[in-house]
Amino acid sequence: MKILFMRKNAFAAVVALTYSFLPVASGAPASLTLTLTQTPSFTEPIVSLYGRVKPANPGIAIGLQVEIDSKWQTTNLSTKSTSGGAWKIEATATALNAKVKYRAVAKVAGQIIYSSARTITIKQTPEMSAADSSTLIDLAGPGGRIHGVDISRWQHPNDAPIDFEKMYKAGVRFVMIKASDSRDVSDAQALKYLVMDHNAAQAAGIMTGFYYYATLPDTTDPNIIIDDALAQAQKAIWRLAGIGGYTDRDLSYALDLENNCVRVSNSGKCEKYATRSAVTLWANTWLSTMNLRTGRTPILYSYPQFLEHAMNRSTDLIKYPLWIAHYGINPADPLAQPGQKLGGCFVHSWTTSNCSVSWVMWQYTSCGIANKYGVPGSRLDLSVFRGTPNTFLDLIKGTWVPDVADLMPVHEPSALMINSTTSSTTNKPVVFSVSVNRPSGSPVVTGTVLFVPDVPFTAPTALTQSAVRESSGNWALSVKGIPAGTWSGSVEYKDVSGTHAKSSTPVLLTIIQGATPTPKPTKSPTPKPTKSPTTVADTCKNQIRI
């Protein structure tokens, strides 16, 4: 039986299927996936169809076919893939209790590809007294609050998927997804799982939000701090634009600000922390930029000790909703107050006159029973929302659909400049201070730098390089192992994400032979006493486990 679908939103009117012709990486076979589910709705049945096309390219047209009388027929529903390759079609079903089969179709590099066929039986939506979306926001969390979780790559061991339908049935109504990160490798991982989770969570009826994990710049210069915050906000905006902007089921972006270490030793110990004024200036700049550019008020995530000791009080910060992490207090108590300490109060921008905290979301444990919520692994962060379903939906007001200018550029020109070079002898590293800018003069957002000799050094010489990011677009590049002599080469900037184009600057180095270190006499190894087995600390001790 054929089911007639209608698009929910006026701007997403049904259009005839057209195909994009985009290149496929050599040797990479194209593939297309389809997931099909009925999304909880307060009116007519909503069906969500979503998936991913690989290799990922934006703008690939995805069509939908339906099997009728044992023949596949093209419907008039279509959409286009995002930059991560994800796609989604959401439609209203006008037929009930009907079993039907669908498959997705796309054309990539001249090749027609199909997803596996999926079957669904539309179920009638229970009638409700009022067509009010707040009726779908259950107060199923502890203390009669709205329940939520936050997820990242750690909730996908061995790339295992999350069962969001099970999560919905367990009472969860919002999920905060790690969408981006200051660090390039972590940012690429975040994109992978954002593409996997965003549409799947919404299709299950769960509201979705995003968070950005911040690493601060190693500087006290206010101008560089502002430039770095602007660049990192741009990174989050590009990520949001890459999935099509905010929808009517998206919460705002959250800034995950919990680490003010800006310099780490080789042993992993923090050698330098950002000043309170630097952290405050950076946070204000990032949050205000996201607010201005997307039309949505962003959220700040942190914990009480950080807010008090790492930041200054600011009247600008209080206008941003606070998502506070405070463990060991049971939210089943409706009067539980996170953010307070025994015998006093934490003093920060969100502290009220009676020593309580003006919070909007509260992450009350990192030890939730993951499997209970459809999440692979052993533990899960759990949060509750403070307020009614209607105040919760206030966080979703205002949509943002990106313009072409908001999308992440592809191979945007870059300009590399060497600010200084320090070199002397063979037993000391050569250190370059490097800056790389965009055409606008602002710093690049992603990428790294390295030294490339014009003539490769012969064995046994081996170069050891370390590029330490001091702020967006600024690196201290240390190179060890250059032999004595005069050498030409270049310092190159590369960006594996493809956002910014490669650039380089030639260099000429003269290295003097340093003193040969005197070998130390070899000592006979001293037998070490046998240690008793180390007891692994229970990181979930005194935390809520539900």
Side-chain angles (χ1 to χ4, degrees):
M1 179 182 295
K2 183 176 181 179
I3 298 179
L4 174 64
F5 284 108
M6 298 184 296
R7 287 291 186 105
K8 289 181 62 182
N9 300 320
F11 70 85
V14 174
V15 293
L17 176 63
T18 57
Y19 295 107
S20 295
F21 188 92
L22 292 173
V24 178
S26 176
S31 64
L32 182 64
T33 64
L34 165 66
T35 300
L36 181 60
T37 188
Q38 183 171 340
T39 300
S41 169
F42 58 86
T43 55
E44 294 181 285
I46 300 297
V47 176
S48 296
L49 309 99
Y50 60 95
R52 189 176 183 185
V53 60
K54 293 182 180 181
N57 270 312
I60 296 178
I62 312 295
L64 194 65
Q65 294 185 341
V66 59
E67 186 181 63
I68 299 176
D69 298 330
S70 301
K71 294 182 180 179
W72 287 103
Q73 299 182 18
T74 298
T75 73
N76 55 3
L77 291 175
S78 69
T79 189
K80 291 185 177 181
S81 63
T82 66
S83 58
W87 64 271
K88 180 181 179 182
I89 295 173
E90 191 172 86
T92 302
T94 57
L96 302 176
N97 301 318
K99 187 175 182 179
V100 67
K101 184 182 292 184
Y102 290 96
R103 69 181 182 185
V105 57
K107 186 176 183 180
V108 183
Q111 176 189 4
I112 302 294
I113 59 174
Y114 300 93
S115 72
S116 298
R118 303 295 183 199
T119 301
I120 188 171
T121 300
I122 307 300
K123 300 176 183 177
Q124 187 167 0
T125 302
E127 292 186 3
M128 297 183 180
S129 58
D132 183 357
S133 57
S134 67
T135 59
L136 292 176
I137 309 300
D138 298 322
L139 301 174
R145 300 181 178 96
I146 299 168
H147 213 190
V149 306
D150 58 274
I151 58 175
S152 66
R153 69 184 180 93
W154 300 109
Q155 280 66 54
H156 291 278
N158 301 316
D159 282 348
I162 293 173
D163 185 346
F164 288 102
E165 292 186 17
K166 183 176 181 180
M167 183 181 289
Y168 181 88
K169 291 176 182 177
V172 171
R173 291 299 176 265
F174 70 95
V175 54
M176 303 298 290
I177 306 170
K178 182 176 181 181
S180 45
D181 193 297
S182 300
R183 303 157 296 181
D184 286 353
V185 173
S186 297
D187 190 66
Q189 292 172 330
L191 173 60
K192 174 181 178 180
Y193 296 107
L194 172 66
V195 170
M196 184 182 296
D197 294 334
H198 182 231
N199 288 339
Q202 289 194 358
I206 301 173
M207 302 292 185
T208 55
F210 316 98
Y211 71 91
Y212 180 95
Y213 183 86
T215 301
L216 302 178
D218 184 2
T219 181
T220 56
D221 186 327
N223 293 321
I224 297 178
I225 292 169
I226 291 171
D227 284 346
D228 182 83
L230 291 172
Q232 294 203 44
Q234 181 64 72
K235 198 173 192 178
I237 291 166
W238 280 340
R239 182 56 43 80
L240 183 60
I243 60 172
Y246 284 126
T247 72
D248 58 2
R249 292 183 184 174
D250 282 324
L251 299 168
S252 296
Y253 234 109
L255 171 62
D256 182 347
L257 188 57
E258 56 181 288
N259 179 16
N260 60 339
C261 180
V262 295
R263 190 181 302 168
V264 181
S265 68
N266 293 332
S267 63
K269 183 180 179 180
C270 185
E271 293 184 337
K272 180 183 178 184
Y273 292 93
T275 64
R276 293 164 63 105
S277 59
V279 177
T280 307
L281 174 61
W282 192 98
N284 267 320
T285 304
W286 192 98
L287 291 164
S288 63
T289 301
M290 291 294 293
N291 192 6
L292 178 65
R293 292 283 301 277
T294 68
R296 285 273 191 94
T297 303
I299 300 164
L300 179 74
Y301 168 89
S302 195
Y303 59 96
Q305 292 85 350
F306 187 93
L307 296 173
E308 181 178 66
H309 298 296
M311 302 180 72
N312 292 325
R313 297 181 68 184
S314 166
T315 55
D316 291 328
L317 285 175
I318 188 62
K319 64 186 177 183
Y320 301 108
L322 176 63
W323 177 15
I324 192 167
H326 193 161
Y327 306 152
I329 304 174
N330 198 327
D333 175 7
L335 300 181
Q337 290 289 339
Q340 291 184 316
K341 59 183 174 182
L342 296 175
C345 60
F346 293 102
V347 179
H348 51 75
S349 299
W350 289 267
T351 304
T352 67
S353 58
N354 64 356
C355 213
S356 63
V357 177
S358 178
W359 59 274
V360 172
M361 294 193 296
W362 167 20
Q363 186 187 80
Y364 64 88
T365 185
S366 64
C367 296
I369 304 169
N371 184 258
K372 174 181 175 181
Y373 302 96
V375 176
S378 59
R379 54 193 288 180
L380 178 67
D381 295 341
L382 301 177
S383 296
V384 289
F385 174 80
R386 177 181 190 168
T388 66
N390 283 322
T391 57
F392 175 80
L393 291 174
D394 285 342
L395 295 179
I396 302 175
K397 288 182 178 178
T399 59
W400 176 66
V401 178
D403 295 326
V404 174
D406 295 313
L407 297 173
M408 181 178 285
V410 178
H411 298 304
E412 177 187 68
S414 66
L416 184 148
M417 179 174 65
I418 299 176
N419 304 314
S420 65
T421 304
T422 303
S423 63
S424 56
T425 61
T426 54
N427 48 10
K428 294 182 179 180
V430 177
V431 179
F432 301 95
S433 173
V434 184
S435 297
V436 186
N437 290 329
R438 303 174 63 192
S440 63
S442 60
V444 293
V445 178
T446 55
T448 190
V449 294
L450 73 160
F451 169 68
V452 179
D454 287 341
V455 179
F457 300 121
T458 57
T461 300
L463 293 183
T464 302
Q465 305 197 42
S466 172
V468 177
R469 174 188 175 279
E470 297 179 328
S471 65
S472 293
N474 294 283
W475 290 270
L477 173 61
S478 176
V479 185
K480 296 180 181 179
I482 301 178
T486 299
W487 308 100
S488 63
S490 60
V491 174
E492 294 187 355
Y493 164 74
K494 293 184 177 180
D495 180 12
V496 296
S497 75
T499 304
H500 308 292
K502 176 182 175 181
S503 59
S504 64
T505 294
V507 294
L508 186 66
L509 302 173
T510 299
I511 308 297
I512 300 172
Q513 180 64 49
T516 302
T518 304
K520 295 181 179 180
T522 304
K523 294 182 179 180
S524 301
T526 303
K528 295 182 179 180
T530 303
K531 292 183 178 180
S532 302
T534 303
T535 302
V536 179
D538 180 7
T539 57
C540 288
K541 185 178 180 180
N542 299 324
Q543 286 207 47
I544 309 300
R545 308 189 196 200
I546 63 172

